[in-house]
Amino acid sequence: MGSTFKISVTKMDFGVSEELTGKVYDTVIIGGGPAGMSAAIYAARYGMSTVIITEEVGGQVAKAGWVENYLGYTRIMGPDLVTKFEEHVKYYNVPIVIDSVENVERDGDLFKVYTLNGDEYTARTIIITVGEKKRKLNVPGEDTFNGRGVSYCAPCDAPLFKGKVVAVVGGGDSAASAALLLTEYASKVYMIHRRNQLRAQKYYQDLLLKNPKIEIMWNTVVKELQGDKLLRKAILQRVDTKEVFELPLDGLFVEIGAEPPVDLFKRIGLELSQDGYVKVNHLMETSVPGIYAAGDCVDLTPRDFRQIVVAAGQGALAAYSAYNYIIKRYGFNRH
């Protein structure tokens, strides 16, 4: 059966060792969120030689606040849950390479995986678990003050705003979670939402409405961000009355959803939904035999029900399908 390496790799500007690139893997997992981590654990338990290539360990979960609906944990911070995932993967000696996959091409019966840092991996199967990337506001000043008041990760940056006035843009679960976390540090938290009701779960809505530090600004959008060396204020506009006004701020956290890496999917040649998610069947099979996909990047679960537990389950199923593909195609003695 396949062997694994007793190492975990952090990718630098130079290439990884030939020990990692100079072999044929049973599966290369692209993406290191809960779907990818789960797929790695199951693949390793099936005896499949496996490597994870990801831009960041944990994906969006690493940027999440309190997680209160993942089985086995009453309440745990997103980054802490990611640490548990990573420890579990390392227990099975699956290498984690920090890099960005640029393309996947078929090479006879195998696949070639090409990365931004110039490395090339060969695999019998591919499991894509790249998730989504957070959407930006795309307003003047957003890029200027990115890292200087504008943030896309409340757990990462909330402690920097102790005693400050901040705002969260969005109305879903992630925005609600970010706002609640920020109340543990900031003196005041505004929620800026373009609609007159939130999309977040009722559980979150009840907590938001009870918290005296939180004020929800309904029917409002951000038009511009202004400041000096740091963010100082947001220019807002009411959707209904078109009134434009200023809101003094020390920090702005953007939580307006996410989108999949459509360009990568198109280069690989995967069939996509109209909004760019990978089409899969109940076995997580894509339109390309030997390539599987799982997690937030697939067109299978409702867009408003992106859950860690769902992604983890899909990742496990993708590994199961990849294993069966290999056994049927190569048998048990493929190495």
Side-chain angles (χ1 to χ4, degrees):
M1 304 297 284
S3 61
T4 51
F5 298 110
K6 296 183 178 180
I7 54 177
S8 181
V9 176
T10 299
K11 185 66 167 58
M12 303 300 182
D13 290 336
F14 49 84
V16 298
S17 70
E18 191 172 330
E19 184 184 17
L20 288 181
T21 57
K23 63 169 293 180
V24 177
Y25 289 94
D26 286 326
T27 191
V28 168
I29 299 171
I30 304 172
M37 295 287 200
S38 178
I41 291 167
Y42 275 82
R45 289 175 62 86
Y46 282 128
M48 299 167 66
S49 53
T50 305
V51 63
I52 296 174
I53 306 173
T54 183
E55 294 182 11
E56 58 181 344
V57 176
Q60 295 300 323
V61 182
K63 301 178 179 68
W66 288 111
V67 176
E68 300 174 307
N69 56 1
Y70 189 75
L71 190 64
Y73 293 97
T74 305
R75 195 170 194 243
I76 186 170
M77 286 290 290
D80 294 331
L81 185 58
V82 168
T83 298
K84 296 294 185 182
F85 290 165
E86 187 175 9
E87 289 173 354
H88 201 166
V89 169
K90 287 182 177 179
Y91 174 80
Y92 287 103
N93 300 319
V94 175
I96 301 174
V97 177
I98 306 303
D99 202 345
S100 176
V101 170
E102 293 288 283
N103 200 8
V104 176
E105 295 179 355
R106 184 175 285 282
D107 181 21
D109 288 339
L110 304 174
F111 294 98
K112 294 289 186 181
V113 179
Y114 302 97
T115 72
L116 179 63
N117 283 293
D119 289 315
E120 179 183 311
Y121 298 80
T122 305
R124 295 182 175 90
T125 63
I126 304 292
I127 299 177
I128 297 174
T129 62
V130 292
E132 303 168 300
K133 291 190 175 181
K134 288 196 172 183
R135 289 194 180 97
K136 301 179 72 172
L137 293 169
N138 293 319
V139 298
E142 181 177 13
D143 291 337
T144 302
F145 298 107
N146 186 2
R148 294 192 290 167
V150 174
S151 173
Y152 304 87
C153 179
C156 308
D157 298 331
L160 302 175
F161 294 89
K162 191 170 184 178
K164 304 291 187 178
V165 177
V166 301
V168 177
V169 184
D173 286 350
S174 60
S177 176
L180 291 166
L181 174 63
L182 285 162
T183 61
E184 299 181 18
Y185 301 93
S187 61
K188 176 76 175 181
V189 179
Y190 293 97
M191 279 194 73
I192 302 170
H193 187 44
R194 63 170 54 248
R195 298 181 177 84
N196 60 5
Q197 61 181 15
L198 299 175
R199 293 178 289 106
Q201 301 174 43
K202 185 179 184 300
Y203 172 79
Y204 279 133
Q205 294 193 38
D206 291 342
L207 292 177
L208 292 171
L209 295 174
K210 290 177 184 176
N211 197 304
K213 284 189 176 182
I214 295 176
E215 179 180 338
I216 303 177
M217 306 182 76
W218 305 105
N219 301 305
T220 303
V221 296
V222 178
K223 300 299 289 184
E224 186 177 350
L225 300 175
Q226 296 180 357
D228 38 52
K229 291 183 178 179
L230 300 173
L231 175 68
R232 300 300 181 190
K233 61 185 176 182
I235 308 301
L236 307 180
Q237 183 176 38
R238 293 271 306 183
V239 174
D240 46 4
T241 65
K242 306 303 180 184
E243 174 194 0
V244 177
F245 59 100
E246 297 182 357
L247 179 68
L249 287 175
D250 299 298
L252 185 84
F253 291 78
V254 181
E255 293 287 354
I256 56 173
E259 54 195 2
V262 178
D263 290 342
L264 173 62
F265 298 158
K266 288 181 177 178
R267 286 196 295 272
I268 296 173
L270 301 173
E271 184 180 356
L272 307 178
S273 65
Q274 280 191 329
D275 52 353
Y277 291 81
V278 180
K279 286 191 173 184
V280 294
N281 61 15
H282 65 290
L283 293 175
M284 314 314 297
E285 296 170 330
T286 71
S287 58
V288 179
I291 297 184
Y292 306 86
D296 290 357
C297 68
V298 303
D299 182 41
L300 195 62
T301 51
R303 298 285 185 270
D304 59 353
F305 195 69
R306 298 306 203 189
Q307 300 292 306
I308 301 171
V309 68
V310 174
Q314 290 179 350
L317 184 53
Y320 165 82
S321 294
Y323 172 72
N324 283 314
Y325 173 91
I326 288 172
I327 294 304
K328 290 176 182 177
R329 197 175 185 92
Y330 301 99
F332 289 97
N333 298 314
R334 58 195 178 279
H335 301 293

